[in-house]
Amino acid sequence: MPRTRPRSPARPVAVLAVAAACVVGLAAAPPDTPSPRTAPVAATVENATTVHYWTKTKNWARYNLHYAPDGGSWSTVPGTAMEAACDGWVKKTVTLGAAAGLQATFNDGNGTWDNNGGKNYALGTGAVTVKDGVVAHSDPCADTPPAESRKATVYYSTASLGWSTANVHYQPTGGAWTTAPGVGMQAACAGWWKREIDLGTATGLKAAFNNGNGTWDNNGGSDYALGAGVSTVRNRVVTANAADPCAATPPDTRAPTAPAGLTATADGTSVLLAWNPSTDDRGVTGYQVTRTGGGSTVVTDVGSTVLSDTGLAERTAYTYTVRALDAAGNVSADSSPATATTGDRPATPANGKPLGTDPRKDPIYFVLTARFNDGDPSNNRGGSQHVKSGNAANDDPMFRGDFKGLIQKLDYVKGLGFSAIWVTPVVLNRSDYDYHGYHGWDFYRVDPRLESAGASYQDLIDAAHAKGMKIYQDVVYNHSSRWGAKGLFTPTVYGVRDGQWSWYYDEKRSGFEYDGLTVDPKSGKSYYNGDLWSTAEPTGNTCVNWGKPTGGKSAEGYTVYNCQWPSPTSGMFPKALYHQCWIGNWEGEDSRSCWLHEDLADLNTENPAVQNYLIGAYDKYIDMGVDGFRVDTAVHIPRTTWNRRFLPAIQERVARRHGAEAAKNFFVFGEVAAFVNDKWNRGSVNHSAQFYTWKERKEYDLDDGRAALEMYEYEQQQGTGNQPTSTNAFLKGNSYHAPDHSRFSGMNVIDMRMHMNFGDAQNAFSNGKDSDDSYNDATYNVVYVDSHDYGPNKSSERYAGGTDAWAENMSLMWTFRGIPTLYYGSEIEFQKGKKIDCGPSCPLADTGRAYFGAHLAGSVTASGFSTVSSASGAVATTLQQPLVRHVQRLNQIRRAVPALQTGQYSTEGVSGGMAFKRRYTDAGTDSFALVTVSGGATYTGVPNGTYADAVTGDVRTVTNGTLTVAAPGKGNLRVYVLNGPGRIGTAGPYLK
């Protein structure tokens, strides 16, 4: 997504400063008092406090009380050790002297603190309890059996390990470890082993498990922390106070609750249904939708809470009810019915169908549609910032390119050799500067500023497919525009009637509806913003401090009032549908639950109504036949919500409309923005790209909001060293092996680490290799040098490393694992060194988002991928540029060698800088290639046979498992293919 957003002239700097200051601390820290500290003044025994602290929430190995009597000094960090009291409690008695109470905090002795969220605990005298932040006066152990009676019952699952026996090696809290390998566990039931351990006075234990033959599970080196009572350990997940896993499960006889909130909305001969999720004691597995009307009754099974019922009769009333099902076959009562009446059948029914092939075979060309090529000037629009931005002086409206212009130049893209096009969001946008598409307002409608007669979005999809090219649609689930989302919630903004702002506010127009294109005849605006003047506080206003000056001034020097501009803290957006805070920590939990910019209203994606709205919207584009989704701001939505709701809904819809094979190859790749050079984003697994490629590994609360918090905390505690790993991208020696995608989430990602390091190709290569074991399958990573947001190392300029460096980067991208992607114009180093985006503060012509159509003027015809049969005008000159010829041949070579498209790789037995071997094998293909980029390389231990270089045609016969290649030069490469076809294409400026 564009990271730099335009600001309205009505938005004061002062308000932004307040927003930026709303930083919420997430991790508890030690109290802010001097350290070390002196001991408190001696006190009499008669005035004392016995502090009891609850342990079962923290499950620490030890507990310390750090305190200061009222008016006295703090104890020395970390305080004094607390002693076992009774089950779940530790205690410490503190003499107070003349003090009336004390300040207290607690810690584990290793830097983990509970300081009451930074406020410390204020405790009185006598018996005091502190449990989960709540202070009370009682003795929790008054009627508790002695601590000596504590026992721990440990269940350990070997179902996924294949062990024939199990031992537990343990250390009671404060005690000694058993002698390795520990004590034997007893078989409890299928896949489970059990051991009862006498803890004595200990509050818990540390444990590791082994099979008695040297194979250990020690929780990745951290051991397992277990408490008293029953605990289960399964696949590295500890469940405290667990139910007996071997107890007979009672039959499930409880039906789910009836679905509520069913709505039915007709659109032509389709009806969109949405309802709230049902609840069940063991989980809802699906729904049955019953439709009556049109002379028949139809029952449809669905897995989500949205259904688009299509192909219905015209002008016919249909009634729907929904029932929920669970795994045991229990069925809920029917929902309340909902009825909708269809209209007329669309004049031209949609006929799109995705191509449905492996996405790794298709290199991607990324276009900002509104800036690529102008096929229809009548839909050009400059918006409210047309003059201020400087675009008017250049006769360069922000909405300039369109689908007609892109259709006209599909042969240019195909002639470059690309078989997939990533287009920026197509939904109707609404903001002062929204040409890029990331300010969605009506998610169910294509922006009219992109369409023309005979050149609709459907026409673009069909035209691309006719040429064997895919369309990947950029989609936004995280946020809407600041005007909200039509059909979900749209705030009405009432500004104070102040003559200074007469130019900004609008009058209500009966019958006028914003579409970005239609010009209001009275005001002359196509960008009618829906904001109204008012002389008094409007009826039903929810905005805080309406009409009061903020104390700030606009850029023009005008008085700024509260409620002129929506914000998360203004009270203008309902809490159920939109989040209510600003992001304070980009690697914190609040990054998924707060606004990232004033123009981007952050949707509460854990709310079923929001989920249904978005699922229904994007079902529309799936039905049109798009081939995949690029997901904007994916990191700002919890992985649990993606894995539970949005990704399954995408799969279900594609499979229902287009078949299982199309669903398998429907390509979803997310933007998990991590602008650092390390493997894990500042140590936060929840904010790292590879994290989103995995399914969840434990169950969380049925409520999506609570589940998001549980998952965040659990995975942060697991840390970077205890994340799943994969060999799906790697050869085993020289052999390809079937990848294991059983734990794949359904979302692939943009390779942010390679992107950040593409200032130098060798750095990108080294960093990519280092990360690849942490993705589910890195061969699906989308790889680019720069984009509409950033260049390498978070540069705000389009890449300007030089033509040789570009050629080298491309040579690596087209032969290494992943899917090569090129931002429009980079094939001619378009706008190199220019600031990518500066909002309306400078003309678009001076940025990396400049209009490209001047370089495409004329005609071009492609007879195949990478093959141009004819070209004239400016586009013919463009096609002769050195990087154009380079990328054409790279696409030819990659398309001809399966190993370079879908193969795994290895650097084992390979010397050289950017050198590797790749292989892909299936029932009818065995493709093996040795690749070196720029530098020389030696390959040892490779299969004997005849190798032909795809670049030069050189042929080598290997008889001793070794092949040595001389350095081809910067930007050049060698691709020696076992039993290969020889030279592919003709020599160019770099591949020669």
Side-chain angles (χ1 to χ4, degrees), residues 750-751 754 758 781-785 813 817-822:
I750 294 168
D751 196 320
M754 286 194 73
F758 256 121
N781 285 12
V782 171
V783 182
Y784 57 59
V785 174
M813 291 162 62
R817 95 295 180 268
I819 303 170
T821 301
L822 198 67

Side-chain angles (χ1 to χ4, degrees), residues 9 14 80 87 113 176 230 277 294 296 304 320 383 432 452 488 504 573 615 696 704 711 715 726 759 862 938 955 960:
T80 58
D87 185 32
W113 289 79
V230 177
S296 65
S304 68
Y320 297 85
D432 289 321
S452 309
L488 182 70
Y504 183 74
F573 288 83
I615 291 169
E696 305 307 332
D704 286 349
M711 184 273 294
E715 293 293 357
S726 167
T938 296
V955 175
N960 61 352

Side-chain angles (χ1 to χ4, degrees), residues 47-116:
N47 189 25
T49 299
T50 301
V51 182
H52 296 79
Y53 187 73
W54 179 246
T55 65
K56 290 193 175 181
T57 302
K58 301 297 184 186
N59 204 21
W60 292 344
R62 60 184 59 83
Y63 295 82
N64 297 308
L65 171 66
H66 180 47
Y67 65 94
D70 293 348
S73 302
W74 282 90
S75 57
T76 303
V77 174
T80 58
M82 304 183 76
E83 61 195 53
C86 54
D87 185 32
W89 294 94
V90 292
K91 69 178 182 178
K92 185 65 182 179
T93 299
V94 179
T95 56
L96 297 175
L102 69 154
Q103 294 281 310
T105 65
F106 305 87
N107 65 83
D108 68 350
N110 289 311
T112 301
W113 289 79
D114 173 7
N115 63 2
N116 194 21

Side-chain angles (χ1 to χ4, degrees), residues 164-399:
S164 58
T165 187
N167 300 304
V168 57
H169 180 46
Y170 66 91
Q171 176 195 41
T173 303
W177 282 92
T178 56
T179 302
V183 296
M185 304 183 76
Q186 298 84 36
C189 57
W192 286 98
W193 298 79
K194 173 183 177 182
R195 182 75 190 196
E196 190 172 87
I197 298 171
D198 191 343
L199 295 176
T201 61
T203 58
L205 70 151
K206 282 189 173 182
F209 303 89
N210 63 83
N211 68 352
N213 291 308
T215 301
W216 285 81
D217 172 10
N218 62 0
N219 193 23
S222 302
D223 299 324
Y224 291 96
L226 309 176
V230 177
S231 299
T232 61
V233 182
R234 181 179 184 183
N235 296 334
R236 290 193 176 181
V237 176
V238 173
T239 303
N241 302 315
D244 182 347
C246 295
T249 303
D252 181 5
T253 58
R254 183 184 300 178
T257 60
L262 176 64
T263 60
T265 306
D267 180 8
T269 54
S270 298
V271 173
L272 177 66
L273 301 168
W275 58 93
N276 297 330
S278 296
T279 59
D280 185 71
D281 58 334
R282 301 190 189 181
V284 174
T285 57
Y287 297 89
Q288 287 182 344
V289 178
T290 300
R291 180 190 78 207
T292 57
S296 65
T297 298
V298 177
V299 178
T300 304
D301 295 323
V302 290
S304 68
T305 56
V306 173
L307 173 65
S308 183
D309 197 15
T310 60
L312 303 174
E314 295 180 292
R315 297 180 294 282
T316 302
Y318 291 94
T319 299
Y320 297 85
T321 57
V322 184
R323 301 190 297 175
L325 297 81
D326 64 17
N330 297 308
V331 182
S332 77
D334 286 338
S335 69
S336 298
T339 300
T341 300
T342 58
D344 295 330
R345 192 177 308 281
T348 305
N351 60 351
K353 186 175 180 62
L355 295 182
T357 54
D358 192 320
R360 294 173 295 178
K361 296 181 178 181
D362 301 299
I364 302 170
Y365 191 75
F366 171 34
V367 299
L368 268 164
T369 310
R371 307 302 301 159
F372 185 64
N373 188 55
D374 188 8
D376 178 9
S378 70
N379 60 15
N380 294 356
R381 292 294 182 271
S384 65
Q385 304 299 299
H386 188 49
V387 174
K388 179 181 177 180
S389 64
N391 291 337
N394 294 325
D395 193 21
D396 184 25
M398 60 172 185
F399 264 96

Side-chain angles (χ1 to χ4, degrees), residues 392-663:
N394 294 325
D395 193 21
D396 184 25
M398 60 172 185
F399 264 96
R400 188 172 179 183
D402 46 38
F403 295 142
K404 185 173 183 179
L406 182 52
I407 291 170
Q408 290 171 347
K409 300 305 175 184
L410 286 176
D411 271 23
Y412 170 76
V413 180
K414 184 170 184 175
L416 294 178
F418 292 94
S419 48
I421 301 176
W422 158 12
V423 294
T424 40
V426 304
V427 305
L428 176 56
N429 265 227
R430 193 168 191 177
S431 85
D432 289 321
Y433 214 51
D434 56 4
Y435 64 94
H436 42 64
Y438 297 96
H439 295 172
W441 182 65
D442 188 347
F443 287 70
Y444 285 78
R445 182 177 185 180
V446 175
D447 200 308
R449 291 168 289 187
L450 297 174
E451 294 194 301
S452 309
S456 67
Y457 187 40
Q458 185 69 65
D459 292 326
L460 169 64
I461 295 167
D462 295 342
H465 288 173
K467 293 180 180 294
M469 302 166 70
K470 296 179 177 179
I471 295 294
Y472 294 149
Q473 179 178 327
D474 212 322
V475 295
V476 184
Y477 287 74
N478 177 67
H479 55 263
S480 70
S481 74
R482 69 95 168 163
W483 277 279
K486 184 184 177 185
L488 182 70
F489 174 78
T490 55
T492 300
V493 181
Y494 293 93
V496 173
R497 185 175 285 276
D498 177 335
Q500 297 176 105
W501 293 105
S502 61
W503 60 275
Y504 183 74
Y505 288 104
D506 294 310
E507 298 177 35
K508 189 69 175 175
R509 294 280 181 265
S510 177
F512 180 85
E513 182 176 347
Y514 168 86
D515 64 9
L517 184 70
T518 303
V519 175
D520 170 24
K522 183 170 184 179
S523 70
K525 293 179 180 179
S526 64
Y527 51 89
Y528 164 78
N529 61 21
D531 293 347
L532 311 173
W533 255 353
S534 182
T535 56
E537 183 170 355
T539 302
N541 168 59
T542 61
C543 186
V544 179
N545 294 321
W546 182 90
K548 295 180 181 179
T550 64
K553 298 286 185 179
S554 72
E556 298 84 359
Y558 304 155
T559 298
V560 176
Y561 300 90
N562 284 304
C563 307
Q564 283 186 299
W565 188 269
S567 78
T569 56
S570 66
M572 300 169 76
F573 288 83
K575 183 177 181 180
L577 303 178
Y578 285 88
H579 290 131
Q580 307 288 301
C581 53
W582 296 103
I583 288 179
N585 178 4
W586 289 88
E587 278 76 41
E589 193 283 325
D590 59 336
S591 73
R592 71 98 192 165
S593 58
C594 298
W595 289 34
L596 56 87
H597 189 275
E598 58 185 356
D599 248 353
L600 308 177
D602 200 83
L603 291 162
N604 179 8
T605 51
E606 286 64 73
N607 179 290
V610 174
Q611 294 169 355
N612 290 343
Y613 177 85
L614 293 167
I615 291 169
Y618 289 123
D619 278 354
K620 170 189 175 86
Y621 305 105
I622 290 171
D623 293 352
M624 293 173 75
V626 296
D627 300 274
F629 288 157
R630 180 269 187 181
V631 182
D632 183 72
T633 50
V635 70
H636 297 296
I637 295 175
R639 189 177 72 178
T640 45
T641 304
W642 285 117
N643 289 352
R644 285 181 173 190
R645 309 300 176 198
F646 296 135
L647 294 172
I650 291 170
Q651 279 290 302
E652 180 181 89
R653 188 63 180 185
V654 178
R656 180 182 297 277
R657 290 287 295 189
H658 306 300
E661 189 66 17

Side-chain angles (χ1 to χ4, degrees), residues 734 762 765 769 906-917 930-942 961-968 974 976:
N734 293 315
Q762 180 65 63
F765 176 63
K769 289 190 301 177
S906 172
T907 57
E908 178 185 349
V910 181
S911 68
M914 290 179 285
F916 46 93
K917 52 189 177 183
L930 307 176
V931 180
T932 183
V933 179
S934 295
T938 296
Y939 305 84
T940 60
V942 298
T962 300
L963 189 151
T964 298
V965 181
R974 296 291 179 259
Y976 280 87

Side-chain angles (χ1 to χ4, degrees), residues 792-816:
N793 293 313
K794 206 177 180 181
S795 167
S796 59
E797 288 82 36
R798 285 196 76 156
Y799 184 70
T803 310
D804 289 353
W806 252 124
E808 185 175 55
N809 286 338
M810 289 178 177
S811 292
L812 176 62
M813 291 162 62
W814 261 258
T815 55
F816 189 42

